[in-house]
Amino acid sequence: KVPTELQANAITVTAGGYTALDVVGGLLTFEGVTAKQPGKGVVRQVVLYDAAKQAKAMKLYLFDSVPTIPADNAAWTLSAADMLKMVCPPIALSSHDAQGASVGITYALQLDSPFRTDGDSKLYGALVCIQAPTYAATTDITLGLSIIEDID
């Protein structure tokens, strides 16, 4: 197994308010999480960087192939077909573990969620707010994903 660096993806969000259970950023794509196509590995951690320091609970849904995800700031729905593409239970990002003067960081560590990609080296995601954040800028959120690739 080979550990990978934390892959941080800037997410374009709405500069404004969300309602609880809205999608934040639309469909997320994590490129190159495995060297092989298809590949397999283990999701080790997720880190949410919040430049607006909103401290709102979120859930991250990860998929092995492209799901149908509502657009940014639209109500979250999950079809039965897309549920079958999920690689692990939803990952709770519920509180800010580290905070600076104007930023927050939330960690989900030691997840140990195995996955297999479906024909490519990507994982796909949807970030859903459980509480209603308000962002000042479209660049307020960055999401990091760390995996261990299974190379056998």
Side-chain angles (χ1 to χ4, degrees):
K1 296 185 186 290
V2 177
T4 64
E5 294 180 7
L6 183 71
Q7 179 185 12
N9 289 12
I11 299 173
T12 302
V13 299
T14 296
Y18 286 80
T19 302
L21 301 180
D22 275 355
V23 173
V24 177
L27 176 65
L28 308 176
T29 303
F30 298 93
E31 302 272 353
V33 296
T34 63
K36 294 181 180 179
Q37 298 180 9
K40 58 185 177 176
V42 176
V43 177
R44 289 291 294 152
Q45 70 180 21
V46 175
V47 182
L48 178 71
Y49 303 93
D50 180 356
K53 197 175 179 181
Q54 289 293 290
K56 303 297 184 185
M58 305 250 184
K59 284 191 178 180
L60 175 64
Y61 294 77
L62 290 174
F63 304 89
D64 62 7
S65 56
V66 180
T68 302
I69 299 299
D72 176 54
N73 212 354
W76 169 243
T77 59
L78 179 64
S79 70
D82 287 335
M83 190 182 320
L84 296 174
K85 299 175 184 178
M86 289 177 59
V87 299
C88 61
I91 298 166
L93 298 161
S94 58
S95 64
H96 284 75
D97 297 317
Q99 298 182 27
S102 62
V103 298
I105 302 171
T106 302
Y107 301 93
L109 303 173
Q110 299 177 344
L111 297 170
D112 294 327
S113 295
F115 69 88
R116 179 179 300 274
T117 62
D118 186 28
D120 60 22
S121 60
K122 302 174 189 175
L123 286 177
Y124 302 89
L127 186 62
V128 178
C129 59
I130 305 306
Q131 298 168 310
T134 300
Y135 297 112
T138 61
T139 56
D140 278 346
I141 294 292
T142 300
L143 189 67
L145 181 67
S146 178
I147 64 109
I148 295 175
E149 182 179 6
D150 190 343
I151 58 170
D152 60 0

